[in-house]
Amino acid sequence: MRFFSFHLMPYPALPDSYDGPAWVTVPNELFDPAVGHEVYNRYLDELVYAEELGFDGVCINEHHQNAYGIMPSPNLMASILARQTERVKIAVVGNALPLYDPPTRVAEEFAMIDNISNGRLIAGFVVGGGPEYYSFSINPAHAREKFAEAHDIILKAWTEPGPQEYVGKHYRLRFLNTWPRPVQQPHPEIWVPGAGSLETVEFVAKHRYAYMGIPYFHISVFDRMFKMFRDACQQEGYEAAPEQAGWLCPIFVAETDEEARRQYEEHFWYFVRRLLPGITINPPGYTSLRSYEGMMKGMGTFALSLKTWEEAMDGVYAVVGSPDTVYEKLEENLARLGTGNLLGLFQLGTLPADQVMPRLRQRFPDGEPMLDPALSKGAA
Amino acid sequence: MAALTESQVDTRVGKVQVRLGGEHAGRPVVYLHSATGEGAFLPFLEQLADRVDVVAPAFPGFGESEGIEQIDDMEDATFHLLDLWDQLALDAPAVVGLSLGAWMAVELATRYPERVGALVLVSPVGLHIPDAPVGDIFGRSPGEMAEDLFHDQSHPMAQLMHSFDDYRSDPARMGELTFEMVKPVLQSMSATARLAWDPYLHDPKLRKRLHRVTAPTLVVRGAHDTLLPRAHAEVYASEIPGARLVELPDAAHLAPVERPEALVELVAAFLEGDGS
């Protein structure tokens, strides 16, 4: 079992008077650079701290023109982390490949991070969220084709000697010859986050990469998602290894269940009610009809439909409580899902600085510090 | 009203659904539908078939028509129409297009003017006109769209669109939506995105080619169309040689759906006169 600290880097200061979506059209006048300066640096500190606590790695991701996660360039963050940490894996989950033209840029920047960190990069490739296709005016009907071509270009750039020619439908490169090459050979570990679309699951299974389940659904949706993934691996003629799957989940620990709820709930609802609206916008052609049919089953359980705290806890939208409660719930659900990677979100919504790092230091009943050795024992 | 018959035509991209009606002398009329994929049920076509021969293909990706994955943009769409014309032994039919279909008709008429005998452009998109932006069709709810598309919100199709918003406004009720309910819209809008996501509902090169259209042309717009500003119809009417513009009262963007009788009269009179 590997433990990662994931940061979304949310914008925590949407004014109360604003009740629109947090994506695509959320007016950029609402962004206060003074807040930006403070939280970018604070959030980086929170990630760097994960190394001190014994985490296996840190995770960051890419989203554009939104308040949910103000990290349009995770590669900038990863390059800072490459210098400020020494041991942890740096998982960029991921770069939205169709947004890089030519996608050679991803091969270059990821290789740079892998060089600077001496082989600690986990390279995430993602199709990009629905909102990104509005924000960048990229045709969603070409999302999957572009993703597949960009992936091929990056792998060729990393693993085949250049210069070589690449001629595809969307990208044409007469001299593909990327400098630098990655430290990790033949290439860094590759992760692909997904929300259950069949195309993505089949792609990951085929290439034997790792599939990271995107959260904010009822836990039963994850059951279905990871079963789909394991089935797809079997179709490819092998059994999925636990390390090939990851569960992303908000986590908060306090002395007691009641105390945890008291400290966490308002920040959780800021995240759900202020930052999630707009994330589900589904541009036409982005999801195939056969995938859409399957994904509809989970849509009614998306976190936006949550009405009560009890519903959120029952559906494991977040794991919140005393050390005992959190330990048991994580153990139970990691076993249930069979995932070999836990991607914990320890900061969520407006959760302030004084509630993030101290909570990560919370000790479990056996005296072990948060997460690392204690949970590894339990869930292995 | 003349009933239309269903048939299938083999094209290079796959089987395409075509509805046919009428047994008249004179130029047949091809109807090119809009992004809503109307035409599977459209009294306008049956009424029109009382006056002229009607050929109503479903574009690939709409209804049961195959092959949208082989069509990437409006240029591919134009070549698909040429193939279809050949398969159906249409030399230079009159073309009546609505919105997206009208744009497609103009693409054909600018490149192959000899294959279009007469042109009726109803609420034609296809142009970018500064200060006259086209409303959004890809990010709004069906109910919001209905406000722009219909003058009369009590029209059955408008009512259906509004009913979808009842589900969307309550995430908990999303679960009640079935795939079969949303499939036609998903399919139509996915196909439309391939053609019109970027550039948004226009071809930057189209305007400078409008002078190449030789067919007699009638531009029609609904007086209450709030999706497509009047300037678009005006540019088409002024820059296609000899074209004229008619405004239909009591209609918004989807005149063939909302005002079938009035539009049949307009089209038939045009085809008997200028467009014969």
Side-chain angles (χ1 to χ4, degrees):
Chain A
M1 178 66 61
R2 294 187 294 181
F3 295 94
F4 290 82
S5 177
F6 198 125
H7 218 305
L8 295 171
M9 303 206 176
Y11 187 71
L14 281 180
D16 292 342
S17 56
Y18 179 72
D19 64 356
W23 295 80
V24 186
T25 55
V26 53
N28 63 1
E29 282 172 321
L30 298 179
F31 183 86
D32 178 354
V35 172
H37 170 71
E38 183 204 325
V39 298
Y40 276 127
N41 288 289
R42 181 197 133 193
Y43 293 162
L44 281 164
D45 288 344
E46 288 169 2
L47 286 172
V48 169
Y49 187 56
E51 173 163 276
E52 200 177 305
L53 290 171
F55 278 82
D56 297 294
V58 293
C59 304
I60 46 183
N61 67 350
E62 173 177 337
H63 285 299
H64 297 267
Q65 58 189 59
N66 74 99
Y68 162 97
I70 50 174
M71 216 165 1
S73 172
N75 299 356
L76 289 182
M77 292 307 187
S79 63
I80 294 168
L81 292 165
R83 289 282 296 173
Q84 292 209 297
T85 61
E86 292 179 352
R87 179 187 54 80
V88 284
K89 286 279 185 185
I90 300 164
V92 182
V93 201
N95 278 182
L97 301 189
L99 274 50
Y100 295 77
D101 191 357
T104 322
R105 288 199 67 88
V106 175
E108 291 172 339
E109 291 178 15
F110 272 177
M112 284 174 72
I113 296 164
D114 204 44
N115 277 253
I116 296 167
S117 68
N118 197 23
R120 290 187 286 128
L121 174 79
I122 292 176
F125 298 154
V126 60
V127 179
E132 264 77 64
Y133 286 82
Y134 291 90
S135 295
F136 272 41
S137 282
I138 291 175
N139 197 326
H142 298 150
R144 310 283 161 179
E145 285 177 1
K146 281 193 165 176
F147 177 80
E149 277 191 30
H151 163 267
D152 292 350
I153 289 169
I154 295 163
L155 267 287
K156 274 178 189 293
W158 282 347
T159 62
E160 294 175 22
Q164 51 180 322
E165 188 182 29
Y166 179 88
V167 179
K169 176 174 161 189
H170 296 284
Y171 307 105
R172 289 159 296 276
L173 298 160
R174 285 190 59 214
F175 306 102
L176 175 59
N177 187 31
T178 298
W179 283 66
R181 294 193 304 121
V183 168
Q184 298 177 80
Q185 290 293 319
H187 58 73
E189 182 177 345
I190 293 172
W191 286 7
V192 177
S197 94
L198 209 51
E199 286 84 1
T200 305
V201 163
E202 287 170 354
F203 174 88
V204 179
K206 178 179 164 210
H207 291 280
R208 304 192 176 217
Y209 298 154
Y211 186 77
M212 299 296 134
I214 291 178
Y216 325 134
F217 289 100
H218 191 277
I219 190 76
S220 61
V221 175
F222 285 99
D223 283 337
R224 178 179 159 272
M225 216 184 270
F226 289 118
K227 181 178 183 308
M228 250 169 77
F229 178 61
R230 280 187 286 269
D231 290 349
C233 292
Q234 274 174 356
Q235 289 287 317
E236 294 289 336
Y238 70 99
E239 292 295 323
E243 312 80 69
Q244 271 183 277
W247 175 41
L248 173 50
C249 184
I251 299 170
F252 186 79
V253 188
E255 288 70 25
T256 63
D257 289 356
E258 295 70 31
E259 187 61 15
R261 175 178 178 178
R262 196 183 65 73
Q263 291 176 6
Y264 191 69
E265 185 170 2
E266 64 171 299
H267 307 296
F268 176 78
W269 290 125
Y270 175 89
F271 173 76
V272 169
R273 292 175 181 156
R274 309 295 305 284
L275 300 183
L276 287 184
I279 196 174
T280 52
I281 191 166
N282 187 37
Y286 171 75
T287 309
S288 73
L289 286 179
R290 67 181 186 134
S291 267
Y292 196 89
E293 185 169 13
M295 290 169 75
M296 273 188 80
K297 291 172 194 147
M299 280 179 197
T301 80
F302 191 68
L304 274 168
S305 68
L306 287 174
K307 297 237 172 357
T308 67
W309 178 251
E310 288 71 22
E311 268 181 82
M313 293 301 101
D314 291 347
V316 202
Y317 290 84
V319 171
V320 180
S322 70
D324 278 339
T325 302
V326 168
Y327 186 95
E328 282 161 21
K329 280 196 182 174
L330 288 178
E331 189 180 36
E332 175 197 333
N333 288 291
L334 285 166
R336 167 179 182 165
L337 300 174
T339 54
N341 299 287
L342 175 65
L343 283 44
L345 276 170
F346 300 97
Q347 193 282 336
L348 196 75
T350 40
L351 198 66
D354 63 6
Q355 291 289 10
V356 179
M357 294 214 262
R359 294 296 142 199
L360 282 168
R361 278 200 301 273
Q362 180 74 48
R363 286 183 179 263
F364 282 94
D366 59 2
E368 294 287 353
M370 175 71 178
L371 286 189
D372 183 46
L375 261 180
S376 320
K377 272 184 275 173
Chain B
M1 285 196 297
L4 303 190
T5 56
E6 285 280 347
S7 68
Q8 278 193 332
V9 177
D10 284 317
T11 71
R12 297 180 73 87
V13 298
K15 284 196 186 348
V16 161
Q17 261 185 311
V18 182
R19 303 177 72 221
L20 301 163
E23 282 182 32
H24 307 274
R27 231 185 251 293
V29 172
V30 178
Y31 179 80
L32 300 180
H33 59 75
S34 74
T36 65
E38 80 287 349
F41 174 76
L42 194 61
F44 167 75
L45 293 178
E46 286 159 357
Q47 293 169 23
L48 189 63
D50 287 339
R51 313 283 281 270
V52 290
D53 283 2
V54 170
V55 180
F59 193 78
F62 292 84
E64 303 295 319
S65 290
E66 303 170 343
I68 185 63
E69 65 289 344
Q70 296 176 60
I71 292 173
D72 283 318
D73 51 26
M74 217 18 123
E75 185 179 22
D76 288 345
T78 309
F79 282 89
H80 168 70
L81 291 185
L82 274 182
D83 289 342
L84 191 63
W85 266 219
D86 290 348
Q87 285 297 93
L88 291 165
L90 294 165
D91 177 32
V95 184
V96 176
L98 172 62
S99 190
L100 179 77
W103 172 15
M104 231 179 256
V106 180
E107 292 281 356
L108 184 67
T110 52
R111 291 158 194 247
Y112 301 95
E114 69 281 6
R115 302 303 298 268
V116 179
L119 199 50
V120 179
L121 307 176
V122 185
S123 317
V125 295
L127 302 175
H128 169 75
I129 297 173
D131 303 320
V134 183
D136 179 52
I137 65 166
F138 290 127
R140 290 193 294 165
S141 71
E144 288 167 336
M145 288 299 305
E147 299 286 339
D148 274 349
L149 296 178
F150 288 90
H151 173 53
D152 176 9
Q153 295 298 314
S154 69
H155 188 280
M157 187 169 154
Q159 288 288 300
L160 179 70
M161 292 174 79
H162 282 290
S163 72
F164 276 99
D165 280 25
D166 298 340
Y167 294 98
R168 287 201 174 198
S169 60
D170 181 1
R173 280 196 69 197
M174 287 273 291
E176 295 173 31
L177 267 181
T178 67
F179 180 64
E180 291 309 316
M181 289 161 77
V182 298
K183 187 179 166 193
V185 178
L186 282 176
Q187 223 184 341
S188 302
M189 293 316 289
S190 297
T192 303
R194 293 186 81 88
L195 303 173
W197 183 272
D198 176 52
Y200 179 60
L201 285 173
H202 75 280
D203 171 357
K205 294 183 189 293
L206 187 59
R207 187 166 175 177
K208 66 183 179 190
R209 296 172 178 167
L210 292 179
H211 70 96
R212 297 206 58 88
V213 177
T214 55
T217 301
L218 177 69
V219 182
V220 181
R221 85 177 291 271
H224 302 276
D225 188 347
T226 50
L227 185 76
L228 184 69
R230 184 183 164 95
H232 292 252
E234 286 170 349
V235 168
Y236 275 118
S238 66
E239 298 186 16
I240 292 175
R244 60 193 174 88
L245 169 60
V246 172
E247 198 161 68
L248 264 186
D250 303 324
H253 193 67
L254 301 180
V257 181
E258 204 166 21
R259 298 271 287 139
E261 294 86 358
L263 189 62
V264 166
E265 289 308 320
L266 259 183
V267 171
F270 169 71
L271 294 177
E272 282 157 21
D274 311 343
S276 59

